[in-house]
C-alpha cells in the first residue's frame, strides 16, 4: 500500500488510524477502509468500557455514559458546523471553500464523530440481556417501532437530500448535527420491529438474505477491490453501465467473498467456538468438583 500513489502510509493501515487522517478520494479501491478503522476502535474500546461499568453496575451510570456519547457527537459536529447553523454575524469562522473534503475529513470518517450508530446497537443489546422485561415490551410493539423507524429514517433522508447537501444549507448542517443519532435510532427501531412478535417486517423473508448475511463481512472487505480488478482485466464486460456489468460485478464479488469466508472467516469461527466450548466445559467441571475438606 505504501507504494501506491496517493495511498495512506502503511503504518496507518496497520494501526487502523487511516480514518483519523486525510483520506485520498482518488483511491476508490480502499476508500471504505475508514469504516474498518471505526469497527476496530469499537472492538478495542468497548470491552474496556464494559469492564469499567461492571465494576459497580448501575443503570444510572450506564444511561449517563450512553447519553454522554450521543451528546458528545452532537456537540462536536455542531462546533465544526457552527458557521452554518449560527445566526449571521454570531461567529467569526468561515465555511470552508471545499465543503465536501471538510465534511468527510472531520465529520464523516473519524470514529469520534460516528459513535451514534454504535451506541444504539449496544443499547439494544444491553436492554435485551439485562432488561428482558423492557425488551419484551418493545417486542410487543413491532408495528409502532416500524412506523417510528420509517418516520425517523425518512426525516433524516429529507435533511440530507441532494439540493441541501449541494448548497451546504442550514438544513443540511442541522441534519449532520442531529441526523446521525436520529438515523441510528430509526434504524434501531426497524431492527426491533424485524425481530418482534407482531412486527410486519418479521413476517417476511427475503430470498438469498441468509447467504448475503453470511458473506456480508467478506463481501464488504473485498467488493471495491474486486470491482477495480473487473474494470482493469475485463474492460469489455464492464465498459458500459448495463445488466452485463451488474452481473459481472455480482458474480465476481460473491465468489471472492465466498473464497475469503471459506478460507479465513469460517475456520477462525470454528476455532472460536471450539475454544469457547472447552472453556465452558472447564467451568462446568470446576462447579461439579466437590470442595476439599
Amino acid at each position: 500500500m505504501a507504494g501506491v500513489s496517493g495511498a495512506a502510509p502503511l503504518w496507518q493501515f496497520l494501526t487502523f488510524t487511516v480514518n483519523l487522517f486525510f483520506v485520498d478520494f482518488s483511491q476508490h479501491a480502499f476508500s471504505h477502509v475508514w469504516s474498518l478503522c471505526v469497527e476496530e476502535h469499537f472492538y478495542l474500546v468497548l470491552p474496556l468500557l464494559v469492564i469499567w461499568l461492571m465494576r459497580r453496575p448501575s443503570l444510572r451510570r450506564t444511561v449517563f455514559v450512553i447519553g454522554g456519547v450521543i451528546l458528545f457527537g452532537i456537540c462536536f459536529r455542531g462546533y465544526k458546523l457552527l458557521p452554518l447553523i449560527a445566526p449571521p454575524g454570531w461567529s467569526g469562522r468561515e465555511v470552508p471553500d471545499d465543503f465536501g473534503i471538510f465534511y468527510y475529513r472531520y465529520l464523516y470518517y473519524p470514529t469520534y464523530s460516528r459513535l451514534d450508530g454504535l451506541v444504539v446497537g449496544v443499547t439494544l443489546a444491553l436492554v435485551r440481556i439485562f432488561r428482558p422485561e423492557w425488551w419484551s415490551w418493545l417486542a410487543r410493539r413491532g408495528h409502532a417501532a416500524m412506523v417510528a423507524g420509517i418516520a425517523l429514517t425518512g426525516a433524516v433522508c429529507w435533511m440530507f437530500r441532494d439540493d441541501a447537501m449541494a448548497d451546504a444549507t442550514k438544513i443540511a448542517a442541522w441534519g449532520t448535527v442531529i441526523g446521525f443519532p436520529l438515523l441510528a435510532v430509526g434504524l434501531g427501531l426497524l431492527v426491533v420491529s424485524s425481530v418482534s412478535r407482531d412486527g410486519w417486517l418479521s413476517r417476511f423473508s427475503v430470498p438469498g438474505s441468509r447467504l448475503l448475511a453470511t458473506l456480508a463481512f467478506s463481501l464488504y472487505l473485498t467488493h471495491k477491490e474486486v470491482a477495480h480488478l473487473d474494470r482493469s482485466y475485463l474492460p469489455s464486460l464492464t465498459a458500459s453501465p448495463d445488466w452485463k456489468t451488474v452481473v459481472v460485478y455480482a458474480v465476481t464479488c460473491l465468489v471472492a467473498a465466498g473464497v475469503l469466508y471459506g478460507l479465513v472467516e469460517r475456520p477462525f469461527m470454528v476455532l472460536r467456538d471450539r475454544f469457547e466450548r472447552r472453556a465452558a466445559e472447564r467451568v462446568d467441571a470446576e462447579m461439579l468438583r466437590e470442595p476439599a475438606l
Side-chain angles (χ1 to χ4, degrees), residues 11-246:
W11 67 267
Q12 292 183 13
F13 287 94
L14 297 178
T15 57
F16 292 94
T17 56
V18 174
N19 67 323
L20 303 180
F21 300 92
F22 178 72
V23 178
D24 188 349
F25 293 94
S26 65
Q27 297 298 323
H28 299 294
F30 297 99
S31 61
H32 59 309
V33 73
W34 70 269
S35 60
L36 302 178
C37 297
V38 174
E39 182 178 355
E40 189 66 20
H41 299 161
F42 171 75
Y43 290 145
L44 292 174
V45 174
L46 181 64
L48 300 178
L49 184 60
V50 170
I51 292 174
W52 174 68
L53 289 173
M54 291 302 292
R55 291 179 61 184
R56 297 179 62 183
S58 168
L59 176 61
R60 180 179 300 178
R61 179 192 290 186
T62 303
V63 172
F64 178 80
V65 171
I66 292 173
V69 170
I70 295 177
L71 183 61
F72 169 80
I74 293 175
C75 293
F76 173 80
R77 292 187 297 270
Y79 170 74
K80 286 295 183 179
L81 292 174
L82 188 61
L84 293 178
I85 62 178
W90 190 84
S91 173
R93 299 171 57 197
E94 297 181 356
V95 180
D97 293 334
D98 197 334
F99 181 76
I101 293 179
F102 172 85
Y103 178 84
Y104 281 105
R105 182 176 184 180
Y106 295 106
L107 302 173
Y108 193 82
Y109 286 148
T111 303
Y112 44 79
S113 187
R114 300 305 303 266
L115 299 176
D116 312 84
L118 298 175
V119 78
V120 169
V122 171
T123 300
L124 290 177
L126 289 174
V127 170
R128 183 165 186 175
I129 295 173
F130 295 102
R131 290 293 186 272
E133 64 278 7
W134 294 5
W135 182 262
S136 179
W137 184 87
L138 286 173
R140 294 194 300 269
R141 289 160 176 82
H143 296 311
M146 183 188 70
V147 172
I150 291 176
L152 286 175
T153 304
V156 175
C157 290
W158 177 79
M159 292 177 181
F160 285 96
R161 64 190 189 277
D162 291 340
D163 58 338
M165 291 302 294
D167 298 334
T169 63
K170 290 183 180 293
I171 294 177
W174 276 113
T176 300
V177 173
I178 64 174
F180 285 4
L182 290 179
L183 179 62
V185 173
L187 295 178
L189 289 172
L190 292 178
V191 171
V192 170
S193 177
S194 66
V195 298
S196 64
R197 302 189 187 101
D198 62 347
W200 185 79
L201 295 176
S202 63
R203 302 177 184 178
F204 297 90
S205 60
V206 179
S209 58
R210 183 182 296 274
L211 173 63
L212 289 178
T214 301
L215 300 180
F217 188 69
S218 296
L219 188 63
Y220 184 73
L221 287 177
T222 59
H223 72 285
K224 285 193 174 183
E225 294 85 345
V226 172
H228 176 74
L229 293 174
D230 288 338
R231 289 191 295 269
S232 300
Y233 295 99
L234 301 173
S236 60
L237 297 178
T238 58
S240 57
D242 54 18
W243 66 270
K244 291 186 296 184
T245 301
V246 174

